[in-house]
Amino acid sequence: MSLQYHLKLSPGDVAPYVLLPGDPGRVPLVASLWDESHEVASNREYTTFTGTYRGVPISCTSTGIGCPSTAIAMEELARVGATTFVRIGTCGTFQDRVRPGDMAIFDSAARYDGASRLYAPLGFPAVADHDVVEAAIAAGRELGLPFHVGTTRTADSFYAMHPRPGSSFDGYWQSSWRDHFEDLKRLNVVAAEMEASVILVLARIWGLRAGGVAVVLDNVLEVWGDSGEFDPHTQFEHGGDEIERLARLGSETVRILAERDAA
Amino acid sequence: MSLQYHLQVAPGDVAPFVLLPGDPGRVEVVASLWDQARHVAANREYVTFTGTYRGVPISCTSTGIGSPSTAIALEELARVGATTFVRIGTCGSLQDRVRVGDVAVFDSAFRADGASALYAPAEYPAVADHEIVDAAIEAATALGTPHHVGTTFSTDLFYVPEPGSAFGGYEQSGWRERYADVARTGALAAEMETGVLLVLTRIWGLRGGAVALVSDVAEERDESGVWDPQATFDVSEEPIRRLARLGCETIRILGERDRVRSTD
């Protein structure tokens, strides 16, 4: 087992520290912040760059959207020597105190995904590694970014489970969705996205380290307006600089971790 | 609502920082380490002392065994002003490297309890406040206590689910690999209160964490396959005092860091 089936990576191709965005198109943007980088592989939704950031060996691999493709990325990255995983993504928020443009640092995830429960029962916590959380906090402070430490709700659906009809195609809706977002708000859940839980569960099971940071794009309780319609084009307006700040936060988190690991 | 129904504590009776052992008999042992302490209340399994430890106001309340009585203690302590909760308990090891006498710092819990499921869906994580985890690691390091950071299996059952554990040899087929599967997830230890503590504090925006003394190895059995906690548990006074010291030091470090931040 050397060349990995989906990621097209072999041992030696990736650094121990890997940043994990969802979007393959963001990998070159992340790598553009590094001292030097090269494209290692690109297959399906998986693009990998490896290089150094402020002297620290680093890789970035896209996971694609959702926990199934993310679980495959984790399995194959771990096989070729990755040990520390930092998701860098975008998210919505359930909390009024969290504003668009703020950063969320995930110390844990609510497991509304399918893949992680095939590995471990739901009672098992999706929890970030303490070292990664502390490094992300230090990086957020150093960069002067507003951030919030807390739980993300990871779900396998983007358009489903919204409180009102108008999100899923053709008005499809279920009554059990009505209070789901408000319940998550009451549970003090900070963010909503689609990949963190399986990253945290798998790393924990294997004795590896993982965490996640994300830039907040919107408040998911406000996205429908009066119509009930959910249009991500208008709700998720973001230029390059949110993503660049996110990439910087992820890269700095890795640098701080590597320095603390070396000490 | 002032005097709390079960704990018999009122606002002003407890400090913002509360240590939570399970056993009411241990509260006095914990308080004996403080600069000064007073007995505040005792009712059912709930005993509360309040005082100061190295200048930091501190309380200690026993939770009783299990998530139901622990949930009641948390509800009533939060109502009278407690904001930071640190469980100090004992646990059984699930990993070879986690030895009797070591300390476990729990950053999370595997939720196998009943009470937390009534507050939050199973998908919701039982996660410790990272500031408590960090303070506990620093305290354990400073005290020279061998420690492990990780997940605890928080279950409502003490005598099951392990063949040879329940009375009369009662067992269920689903129990056979239960603890082996939990151990395969990497969980460090098993105990009975942390899951609900972490879920409730997270929901309320308060801080919760836990440290525990490893007092037995979960799979230890005698020749006949029977598990006798009286024979296998080491809960002698010296290790319990070390656990109490670790809890107090964790709170002192937290209290000092909070003070530095508030004057920044």
Side-chain angles (χ1 to χ4, degrees), chain A:
Chain A
M1 183 161 58
S2 54
L3 185 71
Q4 297 301 309
Y5 184 69
H6 299 89
L7 271 60
K8 302 298 182 196
L9 298 171
S10 299
D13 283 344
V14 300
Y17 303 92
V18 184
L19 295 174
L20 300 170
D23 183 350
R26 287 188 192 141
V27 177
L29 193 155
V30 173
S32 73
L33 301 180
W34 301 348
D35 315 334
E36 46 93 14
S37 67
H38 62 283
E39 179 173 325
V40 173
S42 192
N43 185 45
R44 295 176 178 255
E45 59 262 66
Y46 304 113
T47 295
T48 298
F49 276 57
T50 290
T52 56
Y53 175 74
R54 298 181 66 183
V56 175
I58 190 170
S59 291
C60 181
T61 299
S62 54
T63 60
I65 292 173
C67 289
S69 62
T70 302
I72 290 170
M74 293 287 293
E75 284 273 4
E76 299 190 1
L77 284 166
R79 285 159 206 231
V80 297
T83 58
T84 301
F85 303 88
V86 180
R87 165 158 160 72
I88 50 172
T90 57
C91 67
T93 184
F94 297 100
Q95 301 301 330
D96 299 332
R97 67 178 187 275
V98 180
R99 307 306 310 164
D102 289 359
M103 293 292 173
I105 295 172
F106 303 145
D107 64 359
S108 55
R111 298 173 52 192
Y112 290 90
D113 73 290
S116 79
R117 71 184 68 188
L118 300 176
Y119 281 92
L122 266 188
F124 189 73
V127 59
D129 183 86
H130 174 67
D131 295 336
V132 178
V133 174
E134 292 294 328
I137 291 170
R141 284 205 183 111
E142 178 190 281
L143 295 170
L145 300 172
F147 64 84
H148 309 267
V149 181
T151 302
T152 179
R153 169 263 204 182
T154 301
D156 272 352
S157 142
F158 185 79
Y159 289 107
M161 297 187 85
H162 289 235
R164 286 192 283 162
S167 176
S168 177
F169 175 65
D170 204 19
Y172 175 74
W173 190 69
Q174 291 282 284
S175 61
S176 61
W177 299 355
R178 183 181 290 114
D179 294 320
H180 177 57
F181 281 8
E182 284 290 347
D183 280 339
L184 291 166
K185 180 181 185 181
R186 289 185 275 256
L187 285 163
N188 204 15
V189 172
V190 168
E193 45 73 65
M194 300 182 63
E195 292 82 13
S197 62
V198 79
I199 293 172
L200 301 184
V201 167
L202 292 188
R204 176 58 60 121
I205 285 171
W206 295 329
L208 304 177
R209 300 189 299 188
V213 297
V215 60
V216 178
L217 298 184
D218 70 331
N219 186 315
V220 297
L221 290 157
E222 293 167 359
V223 293
W224 323 280
D226 295 330
S227 66
E229 300 266 322
F230 169 56
D231 177 2
H233 284 294
T234 57
Q235 298 303 336
F236 287 175
E237 275 205 78
H238 54 89
D241 49 323
E242 286 97 335
I243 303 303
E244 187 177 326
R245 272 188 283 138
L246 173 70
R248 177 72 64 184
L249 179 60
S251 299
E252 280 296 311
T253 299
V254 163
R255 181 188 61 79
I256 292 167
L257 271 170
E259 281 178 7
R260 291 180 178 176
D261 288 347

Side-chain angles (χ1 to χ4, degrees), chain B residues 56-73:
Chain B
V56 176
I58 191 169
S59 290
C60 182
T61 298
S62 54
T63 60
I65 293 172
S67 67
S69 62
T70 302
I72 290 169

Side-chain angles (χ1 to χ4, degrees), chain B:
Chain B
M1 185 158 58
S2 53
L3 187 70
Q4 297 302 309
Y5 184 70
H6 299 90
L7 270 60
Q8 300 288 309
V9 294
D13 282 345
V14 301
F17 298 94
V18 184
L19 291 173
L20 301 169
D23 182 350
R26 286 186 195 147
V27 177
E28 202 166 351
V29 177
V30 175
S32 73
L33 302 179
W34 300 348
D35 316 332
Q36 41 103 349
R38 67 192 171 88
H39 177 268
V40 171
N43 185 46
R44 297 175 179 255
E45 60 263 66
Y46 304 112
V47 170
T48 299
F49 276 62
T50 293
T52 55
Y53 175 76
R54 297 184 64 183
V56 176
I58 191 169
S59 290
C60 182
T61 298
S62 54
T63 60
I65 293 172
S67 67
S69 62
T70 302
I72 290 169
L74 291 165
E75 283 270 4
E76 299 189 359
L77 285 167
R79 284 159 208 231
V80 299
T83 59
T84 300
F85 302 86
V86 179
R87 166 162 158 72
I88 48 171
T90 55
C91 64
S93 170
L94 295 168
Q95 304 294 337
D96 293 340
R97 71 179 190 282
V98 180
R99 310 303 311 163
V100 171
D102 290 358
V103 157
V105 175
F106 297 135
D107 64 359
S108 55
F110 187 139
R111 294 174 55 194
D113 71 297
S116 80
L118 301 176
Y119 280 91
E123 289 86 353
Y124 194 71
V127 58
D129 184 89
H130 73 91
E131 292 172 354
I132 297 181
V133 175
D134 208 53
I137 292 170
E138 182 172 317
T141 305
L143 293 169
T145 306
H147 62 277
H148 311 265
V149 182
T151 301
T152 176
F153 180 68
S154 292
T155 167
D156 273 353
L157 296 177
F158 184 80
Y159 284 106
V160 285
E162 275 279 274
S165 174
F167 175 68
Y170 173 75
E171 65 170 295
Q172 292 280 285
S173 59
W175 294 359
R176 277 174 213 144
E177 298 243 20
R178 179 77 167 134
Y179 271 84
D181 278 340
V182 172
R184 288 175 187 125
T185 69
L188 294 180
E191 46 73 64
M192 300 181 64
E193 292 82 14
T194 302
V196 75
L197 162 65
L198 301 186
V199 168
L200 292 191
T201 48
R202 174 59 56 122
I203 287 171
W204 294 327
L206 304 176
R207 297 189 296 191
V211 295
L213 174 74
V214 179
S215 57
D216 80 319
V217 176
E219 73 271 22
E220 233 165 58
R221 295 286 177 276
D222 68 18
E223 319 75 56
S224 60
V226 170
W227 177 60
D228 177 7
Q230 196 66 46
T232 63
F233 272 51
D234 177 9
V235 286
S236 52
E237 174 134 349
E238 193 280 325
I240 295 297
R241 287 179 70 88
R242 270 198 296 131
L243 172 70
R245 176 70 68 187
L246 175 60
C248 294
E249 281 295 311
T250 299
I251 280 181
R252 180 188 63 77
I253 291 165
L254 277 170
E256 284 178 4
R257 289 182 180 174
D258 288 353
R259 200 160 50 219
V260 167
R261 193 163 36 202
S262 68
T263 56
D264 266 351

